[in-house]
Amino acid sequence: MAEETHGGIVLRPYPKSRAGVRTVPLLGFRLAPLRELHAATDDPDPRTLVFRDRVGRPLRRSNFRRRIWLPSLVRAGLLGQVVNTGSHRFRATWPDREGVEWSAEFTTEREPVACVAAKAVGGMRFHDLRHAYATWLVTDGVRSTWCSGSWGTSRRRRR
């Protein structure tokens, strides 16, 4: 387990609390890539980091957000917009903090995605996926008590 602190990243063989030890249900199509990840490493340790950089080190939250999360939001249409306007022409549009919409033209698809990811404000946080998944499960009839246990929630909150 990797824990990011102000001083860097600390690798621990255990989570911070008992709530961190839990079974996470995965759909079958998600198991194959995890098995491939473990088979491809020199050390087939089941504690191999799933979220890591290109050389196997822990992935920093800021790098994940900048390199993976924000560009994914752009490509999904959830943060700004990138439109192919012709042969080798792409138009990027994004809002700033005051809600003013900006735009720029580029010659490759990668450039406007990077531009919007760097300049746009808003979009989903990675943690929002947890809430979306919870809503999906409850909507499909999964008991909330089971859900809270699998999410590591130690007790119910009263409203």
Side-chain angles (χ1 to χ4, degrees):
M1 181 182 143
E3 180 181 346
E4 189 170 352
T5 64
H6 291 294
I9 296 179
V10 178
L11 292 176
R12 301 186 189 280
Y14 52 86
K16 291 188 291 187
S17 71
R18 284 184 182 236
V21 179
R22 57 186 169 267
T23 300
V24 177
L26 293 174
L27 297 173
F29 73 94
R30 291 288 174 222
L31 291 175
L34 287 174
R35 288 187 178 122
E36 288 173 23
L37 170 74
H38 290 294
T41 61
D42 294 332
D43 179 18
D45 186 340
R47 295 170 296 176
T48 299
L49 295 172
V50 174
F51 300 104
R52 57 195 182 153
D53 66 13
R54 291 182 187 116
V55 294
R57 294 177 303 211
L59 186 61
R60 291 184 170 277
R61 181 181 11 219
S62 60
N63 288 344
F64 173 80
R65 180 173 169 75
R66 186 179 69 251
R67 294 177 186 165
I68 299 167
W69 182 249
L70 291 175
S72 296
L73 291 179
V74 174
R75 287 187 174 102
L78 299 172
L79 182 65
Q81 186 177 31
V82 174
V83 177
N84 185 338
T85 59
S87 180
H88 302 290
R89 296 186 59 193
F90 297 86
R91 182 176 183 81
T93 57
W94 67 92
D96 67 12
R97 293 200 185 284
E98 286 77 40
V100 176
E101 189 165 289
W102 295 82
S103 67
E105 300 278 335
F106 298 91
T107 58
T108 68
E109 190 264 348
R110 184 178 180 188
E111 293 171 307
V113 168
C115 176
V116 173
K119 295 183 177 185
V121 294
M124 291 177 61
R125 299 168 303 153
F126 188 74
H127 183 79
D128 294 334
L129 293 177
R130 179 179 170 110
H131 299 286
Y133 181 60
T135 301
W136 176 46
L137 289 176
V138 172
T139 301
D140 279 359
V142 176
R143 290 191 337 253
S144 61
T145 52
W146 181 87
C147 294
S148 63
S150 70
W151 298 323
T153 306
S154 58
R155 61 183 156 207
R156 279 182 153 168
R157 291 185 183 168
R158 292 187 181 193
R159 294 189 189 262

